[in-house]
Amino acid sequence: MPLSRSLSMTSLTGVLPAWEEDELPVEDLLLFEVSWEVTNKVGGIYTVIQTKAKITVDEWGDNYYMMGPYFEHNFKTQVEGCEPPNPAIRKAMDALIHNGCQVHFGRWLIEGSPYVVLFDIGSAAWNLDRWKGDLWETCNIGLPFHDREANDSLILGSLIAWFFKEVSWKLHQWSYKPNVVSHFHEWQAGPGLILSRSRKIPMATVFTTHATLLGRYLCAGNTDFYNNLNKFNIDKEAGERQIYHRYCLERAAVHCAHVFTTVSQITAVEANHMLHRKPDVVTPNGLNVKKFSAMHEFQNLHSTSKARIQEFIRGHFYGHLDFNLDKTLIFFIAGRYEFSNKGADLFLESLSRLNYLLRVHRNDVTVVVFFIMPAKTNNFNVESLKGQAVRKQLWDTAHTVKEKFGKKLYDALLKGQIPDLNTILDRDDFTIMKRAIYATQRHSLPPVTTHNMLDDSKDPILSNIRRIGLFNSRNDRIKIIFHPEFLSSTSPLLPMDYEDFVRGCNLGVFPSYYEPWGYTPGECTVMGIPSVTTNLSGFGCFMEEHVSDPAAYGIYIVDRRFRSPEESCNQLTQFMFSFCQQSRRQRIIQRNRTERLSDLLDWKYLGRFYIHARHLALTRAFPDKFKMDPMAPLKTEGFRYPRPYSVPPSPSASIHSTPHHSDVEDEDEPYDEDEEAERDRMNIKSPFVLGTVPDGKKEQPQESRN
C-alpha cells in the first residue's frame, strides 16, 4: 500500500534551530551583489544568485541591487527596464553614460524581481589600455592581450569601481548617508573589488570563491590534489597553465576583501592553501525548495515520471527487452563533462563490479544507468530513433487490436453470452500482431549512446565502456545509456525536462573528486530521490555535519579523501548493491526520509550565513557604527538530524542478507511515518557552531588520488 507523507516542508519549525536575525538597519544600507553571471547563465553561480534573490529581496527590499555585464539578448529576454528608485544610482549611471559608457537598469524577471545594473563592456572597451595601466600601477598585475575573458573582467571591474565612486560621492552630499555593502563572486568580479579598495571607496566588501581557479585546473589534470595541498608551488603551477594573471586577480581580491567566504568546508581548506587566506565564513549554497516542493504528491510524481522513462527504455531496448521493468531500477549521473572530476571513472568501474555481483547472486533486478553529460555530437543516432518509432508502432497496434477485442466482448456481454476467446480475434488480428512482433527483431545490441559522437574512439565514457565490456548484452544486469546532451521536453527522443527526469529515477550517483558544492545531489534531495555523493564535495561534507546517519536518509557518502581508489570503488559498489537489495517498500520509506531533509537546503535557513558575512564586513569596514562580539558564538548554528529509530546504524543492515525481488513487500518491518516524523522533531542532538573553518584533517598514510 502506498505510504503518505506526513511531514510537509513547512513543518520542521521544531527541528530547525530558531533564527535570531542579525538586527542590521537595512533601511540605512545599500547592498550590491556583483557577478559575471547576473542575467548571464554560464555555470552554477547563476543558480546560486538566482535562487537566493527572493530571500535577499524580502530582507533588503529596494535597497538591494545586482550588478553584472550587459548582453543584449539576455536583457531583452530576462529584464524589464525601469528607472532606479534611488537618485544616487540614477546620477551615478548618468555620469558613466555621459562619458560614453552604456549602463542599463531594470528588474530581473525571476522570483523576487531584484533590481539589476548592467554594464555594456563593448561600449567601454576603448578604455582598456588605460585601465590596464591603472591595474599595473595599483597592484602590479599585468593582463595579456590574448586573454579576452580577463580583459573583459577588467573592463567590468573598472566600470563598477567608477560607478561605486560616483555613488559614494552622491551619497556623501546627502544628510542621510547610507552605508554600502558590496558582495563580489569569483575572480571575474575581483578587479572591481581591487580597484574599489585601492581608491579607498567607503564600503564594506565581501568576496566569495565558489572554487579556486588553480584547484579546477589541477584536478582537471588528474593531479593528486588533496594530498599535496601544502606541497604545490602555486606560482609555478599557475604559470605553467598560463593563468598566472587570473590567479593574481583572484588572490588580490581575496586579500582586499573585508570578509572572505567560500561555499563549503572542503573548499575552505583548499582556499587556505591556494589563496593563503583562511575564509572567515562558510556560506553553503541553497535552493528554492518551494520550487521543487510537491508536498504529499512527490511519491506520485516519482511514479508518473518513472513511467515516462520506462517508455523510453522499452523503445531503446526493443528486441532485447527480456528484463522485467517492474524490477528495474534507474540510476543516473549528470553534470558538466569532466570525466574524472565528476567521478564518472569511478562510477563506471563500480558498475562493472555491480554487474558481476548481480549476476553471481542471480539477482533478477536490472539497473538501467543514464549518463547525462553534454559532449560533441552531430545528431541522434538512427538506431535510437528507430527504437522509439518501433515502440510507438507496437503501441498503436496493441490499441487497434484492443479496441476490436473490446467491442466484440461488449457485444457478447450485452447478449448475455460468454465470448469464445478462440474466435474473438480473427486471422487478420493475429497477422497484425505477428508482423508487429517480427518488427521488433534485432540483430544488433541496443546502443550505449543515443547520439553520433564526433570523437567516438577517444571519448572517455565510451572508451571505458569498451574496457569494462558493458555493451547492453542480454546477460548483463547493468544497462548503460549515454545521453550526451542536456535533457529537454522538446527532444524527439527523450522528451523530459531535467526535473521530471530526476523525479523518475531511483538513485542519483555523483562520486565527484572535485566538487566545491554540488547542486545535483541537492536537487535529488529536495525531490525525495536518494543520491550518492563524496566527502570531497561540499554537499557531502555539509550532510555529514548535519545528519547523524546520512545513509538512513538516502544520502550515501563515499570516502574519497582517506581511502585508496580501490577501497572507494568497493564502497560505492557496496552502496549500489545494498540499494538494489531493498524492497519496494523500503525504497518508499527511504524517499520519504530523503525528502524530509529539504529544509536543510532551503535558502530560508542557509541565507543566514550570508547575513552573518555582511554583518561581519560592516563591523570591519565601519567599526564605529557597527559592532559584533568576536568571541560570541555565531547565530548561524547548525544541528544534526538523528538517525531514524526504524533503521539500525548500518544502511546495509536494514535490508535482507540475501538478494530478493525488489517488489516484495516487507510487511513485518515496523514503520510509522507520523511517529518517525515526531521523533525527528524531538530527538535532535545538541547544536554546534557552523561557519568556522577547519584547519584541515591530518593526512592519512593511505590517502591517495581517487
Side-chain angles (χ1 to χ4, degrees), residues 312-572:
F312 169 80
I313 293 172
R314 288 187 176 97
H316 193 81
F317 290 94
Y318 83 92
H320 287 259
L321 198 65
D322 53 353
F323 51 91
N324 187 346
L325 283 177
D326 290 333
K327 299 177 183 177
T328 297
L329 302 178
I330 301 170
F331 294 0
F332 81 100
I333 183 173
R336 288 190 305 274
Y337 198 172
E338 298 176 9
F339 184 68
S340 296
N341 282 358
K342 296 298 182 184
D345 50 353
L346 187 74
F347 188 26
L348 281 166
E349 180 60 34
S350 297
L351 288 175
S352 175
R353 301 181 186 191
L354 177 62
N355 185 56
Y356 173 79
L357 287 176
L358 293 176
R359 290 175 63 178
V360 165
H361 287 275
R362 299 186 181 278
N363 199 315
D364 56 359
V365 170
T366 301
V367 179
V368 176
V369 183
F370 285 85
F371 285 76
I372 312 293
M373 291 180 161
K376 292 181 179 179
T377 66
N378 57 20
N379 215 327
F380 302 107
N381 64 42
V382 174
E383 196 63 25
S384 295
L385 292 171
K386 180 183 176 183
Q388 300 308 312
V390 168
R391 177 194 62 78
K392 188 176 185 305
Q393 182 185 20
L394 283 172
W395 178 262
D396 293 340
T397 299
H399 271 261
T400 300
V401 174
K402 184 182 75 172
E403 288 179 6
K404 291 178 66 176
F405 179 93
K407 187 176 184 304
K408 291 180 180 179
L409 177 62
Y410 176 64
D411 290 339
L413 293 176
L414 281 176
K415 297 175 183 177
Q417 301 173 354
I418 299 296
D420 184 357
L421 297 181
N422 294 321
T423 61
I424 199 167
L425 294 177
D426 55 32
R427 183 181 296 273
D428 289 341
D429 296 327
F430 283 104
T431 301
I432 292 173
M433 290 189 289
K434 287 178 181 179
R435 288 181 60 183
I437 292 172
Y438 291 152
T440 64
Q441 292 182 353
R442 190 182 213 166
H443 301 292
S444 61
L445 293 174
V448 295
T449 180
T450 57
H451 292 59
N452 295 321
M453 305 293 293
L454 286 182
D455 201 356
D456 183 296
S457 61
K458 296 181 180 178
D459 182 81
I461 289 179
L462 295 182
S463 297
N464 274 269
I465 288 174
R466 296 186 190 103
R467 178 182 63 81
I468 61 180
L470 287 178
F471 298 118
N472 294 336
S473 64
R474 293 183 183 273
N475 294 330
D476 288 330
R477 300 271 50 85
I478 303 295
K479 314 289 185 181
I480 292 180
I481 301 175
F482 179 22
H483 190 280
E485 196 176 74
F486 283 132
L487 296 171
S488 170
S489 59
T490 60
S491 169
L493 195 64
L494 183 54
M496 296 183 73
D497 287 327
Y498 178 73
E499 180 182 335
D500 294 330
F501 175 81
V502 172
R503 286 194 186 276
C505 293
N506 296 103
L507 183 71
V509 185
F510 314 103
S512 303
Y513 181 78
Y514 187 78
E515 191 73 79
W517 178 249
Y519 262 122
T520 41
E523 289 167 343
C524 286
T525 301
V526 299
M527 287 187 273
I529 303 302
S531 62
V532 176
T533 182
T534 73
N535 60 353
L536 291 181
S537 76
F539 175 84
C541 294
F542 181 81
M543 283 299 175
E544 275 189 323
E545 288 187 287
H546 279 70
V547 184
S548 296
D549 185 2
Y553 283 90
I555 310 293
Y556 299 97
I557 300 175
V558 176
D559 185 355
R560 294 201 66 179
R561 189 172 184 190
F562 301 111
R563 292 193 182 192
S564 68
E566 179 70 16
E567 291 172 324
S568 298
C569 188
N570 287 335
Q571 186 183 23
L572 176 56

Side-chain angles (χ1 to χ4, degrees), residues 36 55 63 192 223 241 264 275 309 347 354 377 379 407 529 540 575 633 676:
W36 188 263
I55 64 152
N63 289 352
T223 304
R241 289 160 179 78
S264 64
L275 301 172
I309 298 174
F347 188 26
L354 177 62
T377 66
N379 215 327
K407 187 176 184 304
I529 303 302
F575 281 155
E676 183 168 298

Side-chain angles (χ1 to χ4, degrees), residues 688-702:
F688 66 98
V689 174
L690 193 61
T692 55
V693 180
D695 294 323
K697 295 181 182 179
K698 189 175 180 180
E699 179 179 292
Q700 301 296 315
Q702 72 272 29

Side-chain angles (χ1 to χ4, degrees), residues 36-42 46-47 49-50 66 69-81 105-116 118:
W36 188 263
E37 298 197 34
V38 171
T39 75
N40 176 40
K41 186 171 185 178
V42 177
Y46 178 90
T47 304
I49 59 178
Q50 181 198 39
M66 289 184 176
Y70 168 82
F71 295 99
E72 184 178 7
H73 175 73
N74 293 344
F75 189 85
K76 287 182 176 179
T77 56
Q78 299 183 46
V79 180
E80 180 185 17
F105 189 90
R107 283 192 179 273
W108 190 4
L109 300 178
I110 58 175
E111 191 172 8
S113 300
Y115 289 122
V116 291
L118 304 176

Side-chain angles (χ1 to χ4, degrees), residues 262-321:
T262 189
V263 297
S264 64
Q265 302 285 9
I266 190 71
T267 312
V269 174
E270 171 191 340
N272 194 22
H273 287 88
M274 296 287 108
L275 301 172
H276 303 294
R277 180 177 176 181
K278 183 177 178 180
D280 301 291
V281 184
V282 171
T283 52
N285 291 337
L287 282 165
N288 183 357
V289 171
K290 184 179 178 182
K291 170 188 172 184
F292 298 99
S293 174
M295 303 298 279
H296 298 273
E297 289 297 312
F298 83 99
Q299 293 282 12
N300 295 334
L301 289 174
H302 168 74
S303 299
T304 303
S305 296
K306 186 174 182 179
R308 293 173 63 188
I309 298 174
Q310 287 176 334
E311 282 301 296
F312 169 80
I313 293 172
R314 288 187 176 97
H316 193 81
F317 290 94
Y318 83 92
H320 287 259
L321 198 65

Side-chain angles (χ1 to χ4, degrees), residues 88-99:
I89 303 292
R90 177 72 269 175
K91 290 181 180 179
M93 288 175 57
D94 290 340
L96 270 66
I97 292 171
H98 291 157
N99 283 278

